[in-house]
Amino acid sequence: GSHLPLLTLDTKVKLIIHNTEKGTQVLAGRVYISAPTMMRVRELESFAEHDHRRFFRLAIDHSATLMPPTGMLDAQGNRLPYRIPIRVKDLSLCGLLFETERQFSIGDEMRVTMTMVNNEMEVLNIAIRRQLPGTDGRNAYGCEILRLSSRGEQHLSAYMLEQQQIQIRKSRL
């Protein structure tokens, strides 16, 4: 049969677990014991929590459209429109921060569409992870980007690089 790789103590590992009830979970931890047929991992935590600050964050001010699931209700119980204009204020490969007048709840999952490289429209699946006060009385929401395809990750990386180059050029003027 197949054997596990032998890893040294304290090696950082990323585990992808497929569960029929909870779906796919990505966890991060450190190797404690490693053998051909078993591995004990310590300091296990959600990879999103472990890794979300490791990515470079880019401060931007970009218009985008939030698309809640059909029939989703706001905090007051009113049905949300299919498209809600928002401002994306910061972006990384695993998350974004947007501002809106609307109220949402931690855990809400939606899609965001925004133009990126070559004015191509990209769709990002997001989950709201935290709420902060925004500018001018608006609400700001920190979100995790969910299920980003490798193509989506390439487009997001290219867009962030392009925006960073624009900011560097502006700072030199």
Side-chain angles (χ1 to χ4, degrees), residues 52-96:
H52 75 287
R53 290 289 170 205
R54 203 189 83 199
F55 289 104
F56 171 76
R57 298 181 92 66
L58 182 69
I60 59 173
D61 187 10
H62 193 71
S63 63
T65 303
L66 192 64
M67 297 189 306
T70 308
M72 184 175 179
L73 305 177
D74 67 12
Q76 289 76 39
N78 301 314
R79 185 173 291 233
L80 289 165
Y82 180 62
R83 294 176 173 278
I84 300 167
I86 60 170
R87 300 298 301 178
V88 175
K89 301 304 244 175
D90 108 3
L91 188 63
S92 78
L93 283 180
C94 61
L96 59 85

Side-chain angles (χ1 to χ4, degrees), residues 5-15 27-34 39-44 50:
L6 294 176
L7 301 173
T8 58
L9 176 70
D10 259 1
T11 302
K12 289 181 183 176
V13 291
K14 178 171 142 183
L15 305 170
L27 303 172
R30 292 179 174 273
V31 171
Y32 183 64
I33 299 172
S34 178
M39 185 177 298
R40 181 169 289 171
V41 179
R42 62 187 178 84
E43 296 173 28
L44 208 54
H50 162 81

